Amino acid sequence: MSLLNNLQQLCIEKGVSVAVAESCTAGLIAYKLTTVSGSSSYFKGGVVAYQNEIKTKTLGVSRSIIDEKTEVSAEVVEQMTKSVLEKFDADFAVATSGYAGPTGGTNKNPIGTVFIAIASAEGVVVSRFVFSGNRQSVVNQASESALDLLYTKIKKQ
């Protein structure tokens, strides 16, 4: 059984809902979740917050945090995931922000760096990854890692 099928089955068994706030993955996580028939029973929806203006205005991410830490940081995805968890009244939320390339990146966070946050009532866990490959490869790896982290978090609760 695939990760998506396992995730759906787990969400249904536990009676939990999921929402997403995506930046670098640009809706790919939401797309993947909805490829499985019946996903509306647990997937509430999400926000693609590609530009910083959307992160601040729609998701309430602190502009000062973006200015200080950049949009690709643990602090930003933490705020994104907390916001979407609340706005969608979901049990779990996932957020992504990263540098998919071929441009962008910093010395501290080079191209391929992606921060993924998973939130629930128990709190937020943020993971940092540095993926390799071209833009599409980085985005695919980020979406698969986010789904895997989400599945693991839900299974533990």
Side-chain angles (χ1 to χ4, degrees), residues 37-51:
S37 178
S39 57
S40 63
S41 64
Y42 73 95
F43 180 62
K44 289 198 166 192
V47 174
V48 176
Y50 211 70
Q51 293 183 343

Side-chain angles (χ1 to χ4, degrees), residues 15-79:
V16 297
S17 59
V18 172
V20 299
E22 300 184 64
S23 185
C24 66
T25 50
L28 186 57
I29 297 167
Y31 169 77
K32 287 182 176 186
L33 288 169
T34 60
T35 60
V36 180
S37 178
S39 57
S40 63
S41 64
Y42 73 95
F43 180 62
K44 289 198 166 192
V47 174
V48 176
Y50 211 70
Q51 293 183 343
N52 288 340
E53 178 184 7
I54 304 306
K55 290 177 183 76
T56 58
K57 288 185 177 178
T58 303
L59 294 175
V61 174
S62 164
R63 182 73 223 184
S64 63
I65 292 290
I66 292 173
D67 290 343
E68 180 184 338
K69 303 286 186 176
T70 81
E71 62 276 6
V72 179
S73 65
E75 293 83 358
V76 167
V77 292
E78 180 177 348
Q79 288 186 5

Side-chain angles (χ1 to χ4, degrees), residues 31-155:
Y31 169 77
K32 287 182 176 186
L33 288 169
T34 60
T35 60
V36 180
S37 178
S39 57
S40 63
S41 64
Y42 73 95
F43 180 62
K44 289 198 166 192
V47 174
V48 176
Y50 211 70
Q51 293 183 343
N52 288 340
E53 178 184 7
I54 304 306
K55 290 177 183 76
T56 58
K57 288 185 177 178
T58 303
L59 294 175
V61 174
S62 164
R63 182 73 223 184
S64 63
I65 292 290
I66 292 173
D67 290 343
E68 180 184 338
K69 303 286 186 176
T70 81
E71 62 276 6
V72 179
S73 65
E75 293 83 358
V76 167
V77 292
E78 180 177 348
Q79 288 186 5
M80 288 171 66
T81 196
K82 283 180 177 178
S83 177
V84 80
L85 186 74
E86 181 184 323
K87 287 182 183 299
F88 283 75
D89 192 28
D91 299 303
F92 292 88
V94 60
T96 61
S97 188
Y99 298 117
T103 60
T106 65
N107 287 336
K108 183 179 175 185
N109 291 313
I111 292 170
T113 301
V114 178
F115 287 89
I116 301 171
I118 308 294
S120 70
E122 290 187 355
V124 181
V125 176
V126 179
S127 301
R128 178 183 181 270
F129 297 87
V130 180
F131 300 113
S132 60
N134 64 21
R135 182 179 182 83
Q136 191 58 48
S137 177
V138 169
V139 171
N140 281 328
Q141 290 172 78
S143 67
E144 287 300 312
S145 294
L147 290 165
D148 189 54
L149 290 169
L150 178 64
Y151 177 78
T152 301
K153 179 75 171 170
I154 294 170
K155 195 168 185 175

